[in-house]
Amino acid sequence: MLEFTEKGLILRVGRFREADAWVRMLTPSRGVLTAFAFGGMKSRRRFPGCLDPLNLVLFKFGSDRRGRYLNLDEGTLLNGHPLLRGNPRNLGVAVNCLKFTEAVQVAPEGAEGSYSLLLNLLDLLEEEIAEPEALPLLFRARLGFSQGYEPDFLACGGCGLPVEHFDRPRFFVEKGQVLCPSCADGPRWQKGLPVSSGALRALHWIMSHPPGEWPRLTVPPLVRREFSLIVERFIAYHLGLEWDGGTFRNV
Ligand SMILES: [Zn+2]
């Protein structure tokens, strides 16, 4: 038998049978996990106000005797994000980011960074923001590029030359690298995505600033298009995910 207490940000809740539920959540030390709340849909005493997406809950976990699955013994609601729930624009953004987090299946290694990233984003969405619709792309960039290894956007991945010292940088999705024209010449060069130094600086900025500062980032439409193309291609190639009609599907 396994027993522990852990915080979890609920991503999704599914019902099965009359009173039972499964709960998928992001935790700081175990990444994304799924646990069963037997009787959870009926028990107000064990899970008061807890079993809904967007809730941050302190859960007491147990397992079945053979340790095959986790179950939830009880929960204490820590933060239900009430202001965000009452703001339809921000709520749509939050739901999009929860779906992406679930699709990424954040592993235990590095889960703490992903967990605080998501919580910081939800804190930001508790406020009124000028353009909340710009945030999911930035969130996908930050979460996507932090799974595994993080590209260096400010230097050539081959020779280390800083991007301000060469012209026509290109981003190579498969390698997750920026390369200068002399490190990727010939036919290889054609495979790289042309990218301006403005877009590279914006990518670097997002990786090094917390969500609370993201509304300050303003970029021209061309830079935003390059930024978006790099993020979506990287996520499709390395994480196998593509946004398709309201959900992320595996590609
Ligand atoms: Zn180079």
Side-chain angles (χ1 to χ4, degrees), residues 156 159 180 183:
C156 170
C159 63
C180 75
C183 286

Side-chain angles (χ1 to χ4, degrees), residues 156-161 166 178-184:
C156 170
C159 63
L161 197 64
F166 60 87
V178 180
L179 291 176
C180 75
S182 27
C183 286

Side-chain angles (χ1 to χ4, degrees), residues 144-152 172-177 234 238:
F145 287 129
S146 9
Q147 304 303 308
Y149 63 104
E150 197 179 302
D152 183 351
F172 293 78
V173 171
E174 293 174 35
K175 289 168 162 282
Q177 280 182 338
F234 185 91
H238 291 279

Side-chain angles (χ1 to χ4, degrees), residues 3-144:
E3 280 185 7
F4 59 94
T5 302
E6 169 87 289
K7 287 180 203 173
L9 191 285
I10 300 183
L11 304 172
R12 190 132 77 107
V13 178
R15 284 183 85 141
F16 65 104
R17 294 200 297 249
E18 180 91 357
D20 303 332
W22 53 264
V23 182
R24 192 159 296 144
M25 67 186 91
L26 176 63
T27 66
S29 60
R30 290 158 205 260
V32 171
L33 59 80
T34 303
F36 298 99
F38 294 108
M41 302 319 271
K42 288 232 167 111
S43 175
R44 297 228 168 80
R45 192 178 50 81
R46 284 163 59 217
F47 303 104
C50 288
L51 300 183
D52 281 305
L54 284 176
N55 281 347
L56 178 65
V57 179
L58 182 66
F59 280 118
K60 239 172 101 179
F61 290 81
S63 68
D64 70 315
R65 221 168 285 164
R66 294 196 208 150
R68 287 167 307 180
Y69 57 82
L70 291 171
N71 53 49
L72 301 169
D73 294 332
E74 54 182 59
T76 307
L77 183 65
L78 300 177
N79 186 351
H81 299 103
L83 300 176
L84 157 51
R85 279 178 206 280
N87 181 331
R89 270 178 94 184
N90 290 14
L91 184 60
V93 167
V95 167
N96 183 301
C97 294
L98 291 195
K99 284 182 179 176
F100 183 68
T101 306
E102 185 188 4
V104 166
Q105 297 173 326
V106 175
E109 307 82 57
E112 199 166 356
S114 304
Y115 171 83
S116 54
L117 180 69
L118 181 58
L119 288 192
N120 289 341
L121 180 84
L122 298 180
D123 282 347
L124 170 64
L125 290 171
E126 286 275 282
E127 297 162 27
E128 196 68 49
I129 313 159
E131 255 189 284
E133 291 78 13
L135 295 172
L137 172 66
L138 308 183
F139 180 76
R140 288 202 290 283
R142 179 70 176 264
L143 190 68

Side-chain angles (χ1 to χ4, degrees), residues 144-212:
F145 287 129
S146 9
Q147 304 303 308
Y149 63 104
E150 197 179 302
D152 183 351
F153 294 106
L154 296 185
C156 170
C159 63
L161 197 64
V163 288
E164 63 264 29
H165 293 310
F166 60 87
D167 294 328
R168 300 182 296 125
R170 287 197 173 199
F171 186 79
F172 293 78
V173 171
E174 293 174 35
K175 289 168 162 282
Q177 280 182 338
V178 180
L179 291 176
C180 75
S182 27
C183 286
D185 54 354
R188 267 216 297 161
W189 184 242
Q190 299 305 321
K191 286 182 153 186
L193 298 173
V195 57
S196 62
S197 60
L200 291 172
R201 279 201 306 275
L203 285 158
H204 176 79
W205 192 89
I206 281 302
M207 298 311 288
S208 48
H209 289 75

